[in-house]
Amino acid sequence: MNSDYPLVPYEPPSWASRLTFIPKHRIQFANRNTPIQRWHLPGIPEDFQVLLKRDDMTGSVLSGNKIRKLEFLLADAVEKGCEVIMTCGGVRSNHCRATAIASCQMGLDCHLFLWSRTQDLQGQFTGNTLLDRMVGSNFYLVPHECSFQTEILPRMTQLQEHIKDTTGKKSYVVPLGGSNSVGVWGYIDCFQELVSQGLLEKVTDVVVASGSSGTVTGLAIGNFLTGNNLKIHGMAVLGDAAYFHFEADQILQDLGLQATDGSSGVKAADIMDIVEGAKGIGYGLSTPEELECIQEIAMTTGILTDPCYTGKAAFHTMRLMREDPGRFKGKEILFIHTGGWFDLFSGVMSSAVDGKTSAENKVTDWMELTDKVPVVQ
Ligand SMILES: *Cc1c(COP(=O)(O)O)cnc(C)c1O
């Protein structure tokens, strides 16, 4: 363990003190109070105003939403005396990259189980996988149809036992996307940041890309405990509303906000609006329209969004504003940019940039310049 990353005592916001599980420590990784700016998304109805919270600026290589969760999860691992971290995600996973880098910085070993459609990356390490490899994480490619519960978890357990027997080291499993009653504190705590940034008075709705559910659940809990001033929307880039409600209800139970049989207390469905359909043709897959939208947002606003999460979420937020504006509580929208930049280097965007997009970003042979620009002799 590296003493440069000490456990720091954690004080929850006063409104969260009634929760029955409160982490005692965290490890400070994230840059807090991430900037808020106006975001002039192209082609949305004029009466909507969008503010952007730059959680893509929580760090550089650790950037995005996952690092807020890992502050609590990795503190929990250290408190439990674990020196090996294991987690699972898609091969392009931002969560796995953040886990690998944070673990490396702390001097912990990291093992990543990565769902992949190909079992051979043929040395093609791009985007997040390049960074995973650079920090020396152990890397297992898992066929993308494998189930976490019945296939991957038993293998992880086997590996943990093997590591324990051969090195004496104890392992800690970080759940998918870091979403459980520990990781969710990253966004319960972030809700306090929204309060302190004065956003409760400025916005009516919060929109965030949602995958493993922890981010939207943390925000929804914060909103619920502080009086339900906002409407919290999760743009589901995988799964359906039932899946998100199931995962979130589990966390509500673990925090004492819902009876363990679900018979009383707060229900996830009452405190969050899950927008189905934001996954488009499937998790991690993009339509030409989505990629062109990412490209258009980049060209008109200079803000880069990723194809797997934030770009899809922005695409569907813009669609909702045009087609179903009543879905929002009001017209002042806070979009949380949850990061994901490195996926722009996975190759997925190339077709949109190289292909049939507007002439504005065409690459011109520089020799052609002489025909267009007068050459001074
Ligand atoms: C993981 C991720 C999300 C989704 O957050 P969850 O807590 O898993 O729902 C959104 N955006 C980006 C860039 C992510 O990496």
Side-chain angles (χ1 to χ4, degrees), residues 364-375:
T364 309
D365 187 313
W366 76 278
M367 288 300 282
E368 280 180 39
L369 271 178
T370 50
D371 301 334
K372 291 170 189 156
V373 183
V375 177

Side-chain angles (χ1 to χ4, degrees), residues 6-19:
L7 296 183
V8 177
Y10 178 65
E11 250 329 294
S14 55
W15 47 258
S17 56
R18 63 181 261 215
L19 297 177

